[in-house]
Amino acid sequence: APTLDPTQPRQGFVNAQRVNVRSGPSMDSTILGQLKRGDRLTVNDWTQEWFSFTYNGTKAYISGQYVTLDAVELPTSAPT
């Protein structure tokens, strides 16, 4: 299966009751706000544990375990 490219934005949603939005990819980073279950976001980049996205016009981070990414439809080759 093709690997997903972390440089391509992905859509997703929050899968936990309330999740802190942070200023950096660490539990020690400043809390900028919260998202709640079902809130949608566009993930711009990610590491194994943290997703970055734009929150109120600022680059912010959310723990990846609390976000479910939408399935990506991989391009299929055209019939010949």
Side-chain angles (χ1 to χ4, degrees):
T3 47
L4 297 172
D5 184 352
T7 63
Q8 296 301 311
R10 296 278 306 277
Q11 300 294 316
F13 63 91
V14 176
N15 61 27
Q17 199 65 31
R18 290 205 188 298
V19 182
N20 290 326
V21 174
R22 297 187 179 268
S23 61
S26 160
M27 289 294 187
D28 297 327
S29 299
T30 304
I31 296 172
L32 302 176
Q34 286 190 329
L35 294 178
K36 61 187 186 306
R37 186 187 303 276
D39 284 350
R40 303 228 18 113
L41 60 143
T42 299
V43 175
N44 297 319
D45 194 9
W46 69 87
T47 64
Q48 216 164 2
E49 297 172 12
W50 292 89
F51 292 172
S52 73
F53 68 108
T54 302
Y55 180 77
N56 292 339
T58 303
K59 185 173 184 175
Y61 294 84
I62 189 169
S63 178
Q65 65 183 322
Y66 302 125
V67 177
T68 300
L69 293 176
D70 293 349
V72 170
E73 291 194 19
L74 298 167
T76 54
S77 53
T80 53

